[in-house]
Amino acid sequence: MALDASEVLLFLQGSICARFISSLANIVYLKNLNKGDSMIFPRGLFLLSPSLGLQILDFALFANNFPSEVVEGTAFLDDAQVKKLKGVLGGTG
């Protein structure tokens, strides 16, 4: 597998909500995947990339205007915890 390439997730059975946060624009991308669906992850997003960027997870998740429901599903936190962290780090939504 090439290290400096996009990666494809092909879903073979069941269902899942695949999501990631862009390290450049701090945008959440998500897609509900069912059998036969696929999702492309841009090059440089995963640890296999030789040109990794730096992303401070606290700020990526909580210092933004993403809806709390999106952050809750990504961080596995409840609504109160997400809102508290957003308040501390300057996020809204």
Side-chain angles (χ1 to χ4, degrees):
M1 172 170 56
L3 293 180
D4 194 20
S6 297
E7 298 180 42
V8 177
L9 174 65
L10 176 61
F11 209 67
L12 301 177
Q13 65 183 23
S15 62
I16 190 172
C17 180
R19 57 183 87 188
F20 65 88
I21 299 174
S22 164
S23 59
L24 297 176
N26 212 28
I27 297 172
V28 173
Y29 295 92
L30 60 98
K31 182 176 180 183
N32 291 315
L33 297 174
N34 297 300
K35 182 179 179 180
D37 289 339
S38 62
M39 184 170 184
I40 298 174
F41 294 89
R43 91 183 152 151
L45 187 65
F46 291 121
L47 296 176
L48 294 178
S49 173
S51 58
L52 290 174
L54 173 66
Q55 175 112 10
I56 307 299
L57 188 59
D58 299 352
F59 293 104
L61 286 174
F62 306 110
N64 56 56
N65 62 354
F66 303 146
S68 290
E69 298 80 27
V70 170
V71 178
E72 291 165 21
T74 301
F76 302 106
L77 298 172
D78 66 32
D79 189 58
Q81 292 170 316
V82 168
K83 288 181 177 174
K84 179 179 179 181
L85 290 165
K86 280 180 165 278
V88 169
L89 294 171
T92 60

